[in-house]
């Protein structure tokens, strides 16, 4: 039988508009069947703009639709947990945006609800789906730089005006650069290093009610020290990641991005070479893994547990910045 997956969009969001609707429609058998918005008029306009048959104003209404097999949750962060748990209880598979929740208890509750219901849960950490980060992981895990010792992540960007709403003005919606960007850094480093962050130190910068810049160091359980620089207010820094090991260094430039771009170089005793990449759409790549997981053919690219772990690291960074103390990363 042909695989079919009907998506309900929970949240009439920018990320769905810019990336996810197209990436869903690129999957064989996938259809976007409904969208949930708290505002009936905006929801209807969003549905019309994107050729979605139905818009709803209640999650119960969306989940009652038998054409909805899976939900993609891209509301503001304080809403993710209740919506994910409701979706699991209705037997729908869940692809949830990062951060999974605002606190670890809620993130664990999402994982438990999805386990109980026997549905797939994935976290939309797109960077591990990038050809660049997959190549870096392969180099590191294949021993190309010897023992990994240090990492540096450059993820300071200027938020485009249309994304500056709740992210910079609403702490209660999960605004701030740490829950927005540092979570991605943590997940990407976990993926590349195959290691868990265990301790954080950090300082933040804030012009408004939430932090818009952070410099942090994470210690991983394999000994790696990772330096992170994330910001909302830096227009020209460019992004990148570096992994430095006992026998070589990997330099990734322009790779902390939604776009399938960037360059990866390996430097070691043999000299320096550019690693050939075959770039692909990051979100479509994750959705392909999600589709396979729904069919019982493997795991999503970032699981619920991955979402819990990246949130735990981000919360430790926030706590370290607040207290000025070295802070353990606790995922339980
Ligand atoms: P948006 O601000 O675009 O959407 C969030 C919510 O805001 C929507 O659910 C919608 O509410 C409301 N909203 C949207 N547009 C308007 C408007 N014009 N007027 C009033 N309200 C509006 O958020 P993003 O798409 O930037 O982010 C959503 C989630 O996705 C977050 O959790 C974020 O962290 C994550 N994200 C992940 C990315 C990734 O690459 N993995 C990239 C970007 C974001 P309603 O649904 O009620 O209509």
């Amino acid at each position: 039988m042909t695989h079919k997956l009907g998506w309900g969009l929970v949240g009439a969001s920018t990320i769905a508009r810019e990336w996810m609707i197209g990436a869903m429609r690129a999957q064989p058998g996938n259809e976007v069947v409904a969208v949930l918005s708290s505002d009936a008029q905006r929801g209807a306009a969003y549905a019309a703009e994107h050729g979605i048959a139905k818009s709803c104003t209640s999650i119960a209404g969306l989940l009652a639709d038998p054409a909805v097999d899976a939900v993609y949750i891209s509301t503001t962060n304080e809403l993710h947990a209740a919506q994910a748990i409701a979706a699991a209880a209705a037997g729908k598979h869940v692809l949830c945006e990062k951060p999974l929740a605002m606190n670890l208890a809620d993130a664990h509750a999402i994982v438990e609800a999805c386990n109980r219901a026997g549905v797939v849960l994935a976290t939309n950490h797109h960077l591990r789906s990038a050809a660049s980060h997959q190549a870096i992981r392969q180099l590191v895990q294949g021993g190309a730089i010897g023992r990994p010792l240090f990492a540096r992540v450059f993820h300071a960007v200027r938020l485009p005006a249309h994304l500056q709403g709740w992210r910079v003005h609403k702490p209660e919606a999960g605004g701030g650069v740490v829950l927005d960007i540092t979570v991605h850094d943590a997940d990407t480093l976990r993926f590349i290093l195959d290691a868990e962050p265990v301790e954080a130190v950090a300082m933040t910068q804030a012009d408004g009610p939430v932090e818009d810049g952070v410099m942090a160091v994470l210690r991983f359980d394999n000994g790696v020290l990772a330096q992170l620089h994330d910001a909302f207010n830096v227009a020209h820094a460019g992004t990148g990641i570096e992994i430095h090991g006992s026998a070589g260094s990997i330099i990734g430039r322009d790779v902390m991005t939604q776009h399938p771009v960037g360059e990866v170089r390996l430097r070691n005793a043999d000299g320096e070479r550019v690693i050939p990449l075959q770039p692909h759409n990051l979100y479509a790549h994750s959705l392909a893994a999600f589709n396979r997981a729904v069919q019982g053919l493997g795991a999503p690219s970032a699981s619920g547990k991955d979402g819990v772990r990246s949130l735990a690291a981000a919360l430790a960074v926030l706590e370290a910045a607040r207290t000025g103390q070295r802070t353990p990363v606790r995922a339980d």
Side-chain angles (χ1 to χ4, degrees):
M1 215 171 74
T2 324
H3 165 70
K4 283 205 177 310
L5 198 68
W7 285 97
L9 305 182
V10 177
S13 68
T14 309
I15 174 77
R17 168 189 286 121
E18 290 183 349
W19 291 99
M20 296 302 288
I21 293 171
M24 286 167 186
R25 288 180 170 150
Q27 308 307 312
N30 283 214
E31 201 184 335
V32 181
V33 295
V35 59
L36 169 70
S37 171
S38 58
D39 181 307
Q41 225 178 348
R42 196 172 64 247
Y46 192 97
E49 181 191 349
H50 298 290
I52 301 168
K54 180 170 159 185
S55 65
C56 316
T57 52
S58 85
I59 181 104
L62 182 109
L63 296 174
D65 186 339
V68 172
D69 304 303
V71 294
Y72 167 56
I73 298 174
S74 63
T75 45
T76 48
N77 303 329
E78 84 286 14
L79 301 174
H80 293 176
Q83 291 169 335
I85 290 166
K92 314 292 182 181
H93 302 290
V94 177
L95 171 56
C96 187
E97 271 303 343
K98 45 45 69 170
L100 265 194
M102 301 281 283
N103 59 62
L104 283 175
D106 282 355
H108 281 294
I110 296 175
V111 173
E112 280 152 25
C114 290
N115 283 345
R116 221 175 14 251
V119 295
V120 171
L121 169 62
T123 310
N124 205 23
H125 278 307
H126 59 296
L127 290 169
R128 56 168 69 208
S129 284
S132 52
H133 293 292
Q134 291 174 345
I136 296 172
R137 174 184 156 88
Q138 217 172 3
L139 289 168
V140 170
Q141 297 307 320
I145 58 166
R147 186 161 72 87
L149 300 170
F150 300 99
R152 301 198 291 190
V153 179
F154 315 95
H155 207 158
V157 296
R158 160 125 356 126
L159 268 188
H162 71 286
L163 294 183
Q164 283 184 18
W166 59 270
R167 273 185 183 77
V168 291
H169 299 302
K170 276 185 87 176
E172 67 278 15
V177 76
V178 174
L179 288 180
D180 200 52
I181 295 184
T182 310
V183 277
H184 279 312
D185 300 349
D187 182 69
T188 307
L189 287 166
R190 290 181 62 249
F191 172 69
I192 288 171
L193 298 170
D194 218 356
E196 294 297 345
V198 290
E199 196 178 14
V201 293
M203 287 190 196
T204 52
Q205 233 181 30
D207 276 341
V210 294
E211 80 289 346
D212 45 23
V214 62
M215 285 199 171
V217 176
L218 291 176
R219 184 194 302 280
F220 281 76
D221 60 3
N222 61 354
V224 167
L225 290 181
Q227 187 185 66
L228 318 178
H229 175 205
D230 304 328
F232 281 161
N233 51 5
V234 175
H236 303 291
T239 71
I241 192 167
E242 297 176 358
I243 315 288
H244 302 285
S246 57
S249 289
I250 297 165
I251 314 292
R253 283 289 176 263
D254 300 324
V255 293
M256 306 305 287
T257 168
Q258 298 175 300
H259 298 272
V261 297
E263 183 188 75
V264 175
R265 287 172 182 261
L266 172 65
R267 276 187 214 147
N268 58 20
D270 298 330
E272 175 167 333
R273 68 185 172 96
V274 175
I275 303 300
L277 302 175
Q278 283 173 331
H280 47 244
N281 181 299
L282 284 60
Y283 297 100
H285 199 268
S286 296
L287 281 165
F290 189 91
N291 270 266
R292 288 194 295 275
V294 164
Q295 296 171 85
L297 306 171
S301 63
S303 66
K305 179 188 150 197
D306 292 318
V308 170
R309 294 281 185 168
S310 63
L311 174 63
L315 293 175
V317 166
L318 283 173
E319 180 68 3
R322 192 182 66 77
T323 61
Q325 304 291 316
R326 287 162 68 142
T327 304
V329 177
R330 296 197 196 289
D332 47 6

